[in-house]
Amino acid sequence: MNKEWSDLNKKMQMEIGNKVDFESGIATLISLRSILFETVRAFFTDLNKDDFSAIPYLNADGYHNKTIAYSIWHIFRIEDIVVNSLINNDIQVFFTGNYQKRIKSDIITTGNELIKYQIADFSKKLDLDELMTYATEVKNHTDVFLRTLNYSDMKKKFDFDKKEYLRSLNVVSDQPISNWLIDYWCNKDLRGLIKMPLSRHWIMHIEACQRIISKLYP
């Protein structure tokens, strides 16, 4: 793991774990997210269109067996679902912004159900400019939300009704490869969701993208 990212992530986790340092922890989290997002932004200036759908590690075991476009979609669909539908009982940015049509996606899910060449085929169809616009809007929306949090919010948990609500939205595939996600999210408290998917999840997939780039441009 990138040392700067790892150190900031560890610092953030320690800080949000106690009341005295909580505000500093949120500031550290937003700083980490900004640094990571600049890395994502650089993909769109440094890479060509075909790079986003390349899948050089097709049969590998790890996050790098996806594509860059898929990874960006996956990071921000999950964040949009978790922050807006699960935590805030709000409408996802994806729907308010009509992003399915704008991005030209044939799915509204997290994409966990896609495998191998399905991931590459999905990635080729996407409007990359709109994908970046969506990622930016979700990131900014989440940062505003994070600044509203208090230490007392960290133990907030989610009940059976929230699981059923998420299932009703059809934003997570009901296939076995995907359907565990709703239980995974709802079994965490808010502090747990800050760790995964609002910080560490980004790191895992962005580092996988960097590994793909290193393979494309050795």
Side-chain angles (χ1 to χ4, degrees):
M1 183 182 288
N2 177 294
K3 188 175 188 307
E4 179 189 14
W5 301 351
S6 177
D7 289 348
L8 280 172
N9 192 49
K10 289 175 184 176
K11 181 174 185 284
M12 176 273 295
Q13 290 187 33
M14 289 179 60
E15 289 172 336
I16 66 170
N18 68 83
K19 189 174 182 178
V20 173
D21 295 328
F22 180 77
E23 287 188 13
S24 295
I26 294 298
T28 301
L29 172 59
I30 290 172
S31 176
L32 170 62
R33 286 165 55 85
S34 294
I35 292 167
L36 291 168
F37 198 74
E38 286 307 307
T39 302
V40 172
R41 194 186 302 279
F43 296 158
F44 289 83
T45 57
D46 297 344
L47 302 176
N48 64 54
K49 187 177 188 298
D50 290 342
D51 294 338
F52 283 85
S53 56
I55 190 164
Y57 290 104
L58 179 68
N59 295 310
D61 182 15
Y63 293 105
H64 56 296
N65 68 6
K66 319 295 184 188
T67 68
I68 295 169
Y70 169 93
S71 299
I72 296 166
W73 168 275
H74 179 73
I75 290 169
F76 292 99
R77 281 303 291 128
I78 284 182
E79 181 159 313
D80 196 5
I81 293 164
V82 168
V83 172
N84 292 303
S85 294
L86 176 58
I87 299 172
N88 286 332
N89 297 308
D90 204 352
I91 301 173
Q92 293 169 35
V93 169
F94 187 76
F95 297 121
T96 59
N98 195 27
Y99 276 107
Q100 183 177 15
K101 181 177 180 180
R102 290 167 60 180
I103 297 173
K104 297 182 172 60
S105 171
D106 52 9
I107 63 172
I108 66 170
T109 63
T110 63
N112 285 68
E113 70 277 14
L114 302 179
I115 59 171
K116 297 195 174 184
Y117 286 116
Q118 292 176 338
I119 293 172
D121 291 342
F122 163 76
S123 302
K124 290 173 185 175
K125 299 174 186 176
L126 303 184
D127 184 310
L128 298 177
D129 290 337
E130 291 291 355
L131 178 62
M132 184 60 193
T133 301
Y134 173 61
T136 303
E137 189 171 351
V138 171
K139 184 259 185 192
N140 291 342
H141 188 277
T142 298
D143 286 351
V144 170
F145 158 70
L146 290 171
R147 291 186 178 97
T148 70
L149 292 174
N150 297 305
Y151 179 72
S152 59
D153 297 318
M154 291 298 95
K155 293 184 179 180
K156 179 180 179 181
K157 299 206 73 170
F158 308 95
D159 58 20
F160 176 80
D161 288 343
K162 293 297 297 191
K163 294 183 182 182
E164 293 306 299
Y165 173 63
L166 288 181
R167 291 189 178 101
S168 75
L169 296 176
N170 297 314
V171 292
V172 175
S173 168
D174 60 5
Q175 295 182 28
I177 198 171
S178 306
N179 62 13
W180 58 272
L181 268 174
I182 291 175
D183 285 334
Y184 176 80
W185 296 331
C186 291
N187 289 338
K188 291 182 175 292
D189 58 15
L190 189 49
R191 182 183 175 195
L193 292 174
I194 285 177
K195 295 178 183 179
M196 191 77 170
L198 302 187
S199 55
R200 187 167 178 268
H201 190 241
W202 283 41
I203 294 173
M204 292 157 53
H205 283 284
I206 293 170
E207 288 191 329
C209 290
Q210 292 178 319
R211 188 166 178 182
I212 291 169
I213 294 167
S214 294
K215 183 71 171 180
L216 296 176
Y217 296 96

